Amino acid sequence: MDDLLQSAMESALDGAVAPVVLDPTTSANAMIFALITLLGVGMAVIYVPLRLFLTLTARSRRLRLLQRIRQLREELGKPVGSA
């Protein structure tokens, strides 16, 4: 029983000491990482200017709407004959 346990431990250790490939340029994981990174950068390059544009245009539309509301309120406050 001890011999069996000893041989199992030795074979497990031999398997753990097997050479590990640490060169990231030779693995498919590096290609996947580079692809996902490029995709993320591309999305950021498109998203950030688009988000800024949409935010600025929404604010300008909101400002114009508020100015129009103020103008209409002022017109409603004036007497009817003094237009």
Side-chain angles (χ1 to χ4, degrees):
M1 184 72 164
D2 286 335
D3 293 335
L4 184 60
L5 182 60
Q6 184 67 25
S7 65
M9 294 284 272
E10 287 175 0
S11 66
L13 286 176
D14 288 341
V17 181
V20 177
V21 177
L22 294 179
D23 185 13
T25 59
T26 60
S27 68
N29 290 337
M31 294 298 287
I32 293 171
F33 175 78
L35 181 65
I36 290 174
T37 302
L38 287 174
L39 187 64
V41 168
M43 288 174 64
V45 165
I46 292 170
Y47 175 78
V48 171
L50 182 64
R51 184 72 256 167
L52 285 172
F53 171 75
L54 291 175
T55 300
L56 292 175
T57 56
R59 287 184 182 185
S60 67
R61 278 184 274 142
R62 195 175 306 133
L63 178 63
R64 279 184 283 160
L65 181 61
L66 286 173
Q67 289 172 344
R68 179 78 177 132
I69 290 170
R70 285 187 190 122
Q71 179 187 2
L72 290 172
R73 281 185 180 167
E74 288 174 4
E75 289 177 7
L76 285 174
K78 292 181 183 177
V80 176
S82 65

